[in-house]
Amino acid sequence: MPRYKKPTPEEELAQMEEEEIVEKKPKKAGEELTVEDLPGIGPKGAQKLREAGYVELMAIAAASAGEIAAACEIGELTAEKIVQAARQALDMGFKTAEDVMTKRQEIGKITTGSASLDALLGGGVETQAITEAFGAFGSGKSQLGFQLAVNVQLPREEGGLEGACLIIDTESTFRPERIIQLAEAKGLDPQKVLKNIFVAKAYNSDHQVILAEKAVELVKSNNVKLIIVDSLMSHFRSDYSGRGELAPRQQKLNRHMHALQKMADTNNIAVYLTNQVMARPDVMFGDPTTHIGGHIVGHASTYRIYLRKSKANTRIARLIDSPNLPEGEAVFKVSEKGLED
């Protein structure tokens, strides 16, 4: 396989001039811009960008020149021009808070099936945000994920988003039999629900990161509205052990979390993560249980829920971090029909 040779600045300029010869038809008022409308992008350049997963202007504008250059095998000078053109086309400068509020009207909410848990989350699991649930085994983290995978397919008036779901399974916990149970309880066609859930098993942390990056291709073509990672830290915890490997682990984890957030922002989808816990030996009184992943996961997650098991099938959810909602608790139960009050 021939090795890629980085073009010289002169070759880059010649390529850019050649691409700019392509005549751009003026867009009508209100018509959405596409990748091909960027100055300096010809048919070949647009095809390379799309093959690399950059199918929208927002995805290009949110990327760095280095990312575009590596993905499309072009020089950084060309990549910088492409990124700047996308940012100018999208007007990515300062906006008033009123404009931001208008933009937030596009945000959707996925019902959890429990009215009390929905109220705790301000109406359900939110799009354009990362919702993390952590707790001990059996606390209901995966069950909440299964329920969301079904509920996202419901009509909007019933608390869904009429979209598909993508699951990255790191602990071999996905069970289609449980999905069928939950779909039947909601009055949905189980086979149709199963066809709208795309599952990939991650074998290590590198594979997990690659699956998240490649998910962009499925998101647009299949109307994906929810991405589930169950669980986030399982492979990171086993692949990196000891204090000596903490720094590289956290750097990779940081990139992974930011890739998920960028996908949520650019495609208006919800991201739900489950996380493992550990017991803190320095806690003498109270609950010693705490999440893993450190401050990286804490800062990257928009909403954090601590789940714990109570009597019988009852679970207690505590919202411990949110940018706009108060801390609080909700009680729900996990039954054959799914999550209920």
Side-chain angles (χ1 to χ4, degrees):
M1 185 176 177
R3 192 174 178 183
Y4 169 67
K5 182 182 176 183
K6 184 177 179 180
T8 63
E10 291 77 14
E11 290 172 335
E12 283 192 54
L13 287 170
Q15 180 187 356
M16 289 161 62
E17 288 171 1
E18 181 184 346
E19 293 281 2
E20 284 176 345
I21 294 172
V22 180
E23 185 181 351
K24 307 289 182 183
K25 294 181 181 179
K27 285 282 182 180
K28 297 177 183 178
E31 194 173 352
E32 189 177 350
L33 292 171
T34 63
V35 175
E36 287 83 356
D37 297 316
L38 291 174
I41 297 293
K44 289 182 181 177
Q47 184 181 353
K48 277 187 176 182
L49 285 168
R50 292 186 187 282
E51 286 174 355
Y54 297 98
V55 295
E56 274 190 341
L57 290 190
M58 180 57 76
I60 298 170
S64 66
E67 289 173 342
I68 297 291
C72 303
E73 294 186 347
I74 58 176
E76 287 206 17
L77 184 63
T78 308
E80 181 66 33
K81 183 174 180 181
I82 292 169
V83 171
Q84 289 299 328
R87 288 174 180 173
Q88 288 173 7
L90 291 173
D91 186 23
M92 295 182 70
F94 286 97
K95 295 185 173 96
T96 66
E98 185 181 20
D99 294 333
V100 175
M101 188 63 198
T102 303
K103 179 72 175 174
R104 280 189 61 80
Q105 303 305 317
E106 300 174 6
I107 286 175
K109 306 260 188 182
I110 307 168
T111 180
T112 62
S114 163
S116 60
L117 187 53
D118 283 350
L120 184 70
L121 293 171
V125 174
E126 191 176 282
T127 60
Q128 298 183 29
I130 294 177
T131 302
E132 175 209 353
F134 67 90
F137 59 91
S139 58
K141 305 183 300 293
S142 295
Q143 293 301 318
L144 175 55
F146 292 154
Q147 188 71 71
L148 291 171
V150 173
N151 289 357
V152 72
Q153 302 181 43
L154 291 169
R156 291 181 182 272
E157 57 270 17
E158 294 180 26
L161 295 176
E162 299 174 5
C165 174
L166 189 151
I167 299 176
I168 298 175
D169 183 11
T170 70
E171 295 182 319
S172 301
T173 52
F174 179 76
R175 293 294 182 272
E177 297 88 347
R178 181 57 173 156
I179 296 293
I180 291 172
Q181 258 188 339
L182 299 174
E184 288 174 344
K186 290 289 181 182
L188 300 173
D189 180 1
Q191 294 306 314
K192 189 176 178 181
V193 169
L194 289 174
K195 286 179 181 178
N196 282 326
I197 299 175
F198 302 89
V199 186
K201 184 175 178 180
Y203 293 97
N204 53 48
S205 59
D206 288 325
H207 189 205
Q208 180 178 332
V209 171
I210 291 169
L211 286 172
E213 292 172 353
K214 291 293 182 184
V216 179
E217 301 167 9
L218 275 173
V219 166
K220 278 293 175 188
S221 58
N222 294 280
N223 189 33
V224 172
K225 289 296 179 182
L226 172 67
I227 293 178
I228 297 172
V229 182
D230 186 18
S231 69
L232 175 69
M233 291 300 300
S234 177
H235 287 315
F236 285 93
R237 206 174 188 180
S238 62
D239 292 352
Y240 297 88
S241 58
R243 285 186 175 275
E245 297 189 22
L246 181 61
R249 185 193 83 170
Q250 293 302 89
Q251 288 172 1
K252 185 195 284 188
L253 181 61
N254 193 24
R255 288 195 300 271
H256 184 42
M257 294 288 286
H258 277 80
L260 290 169
Q261 182 62 64
K262 186 162 72 173
M263 198 162 12
D265 289 335
T266 55
N267 298 285
N268 192 26
I269 60 178
V271 176
Y272 171 73
L273 311 175
T274 69
N275 195 3
Q276 298 178 346
V277 295
M278 65 179 181
R280 290 180 55 188
D282 59 323
V283 176
M284 301 299 294
F285 303 100
D287 190 352
T289 305
T290 187
H291 57 85
I292 60 172
H295 296 299
I296 293 291
V297 178
H299 289 306
S301 299
T302 316
Y303 300 96
R304 307 196 80 185
I305 312 168
Y306 172 33
L307 297 176
R308 63 186 192 274
K309 198 171 184 179
S310 187
K311 297 177 181 178
N313 293 329
T314 307
R315 305 290 189 276
I316 300 172
R318 180 169 183 80
L319 183 65
I320 63 168
D321 186 32
S322 165
N324 63 316
L325 299 172
E327 287 190 17
E329 289 190 348
V331 180
F332 63 96
K333 69 175 183 177
V334 179
S335 67
E336 289 184 3
K337 295 181 179 180
L339 268 66
E340 300 174 322
D341 286 314

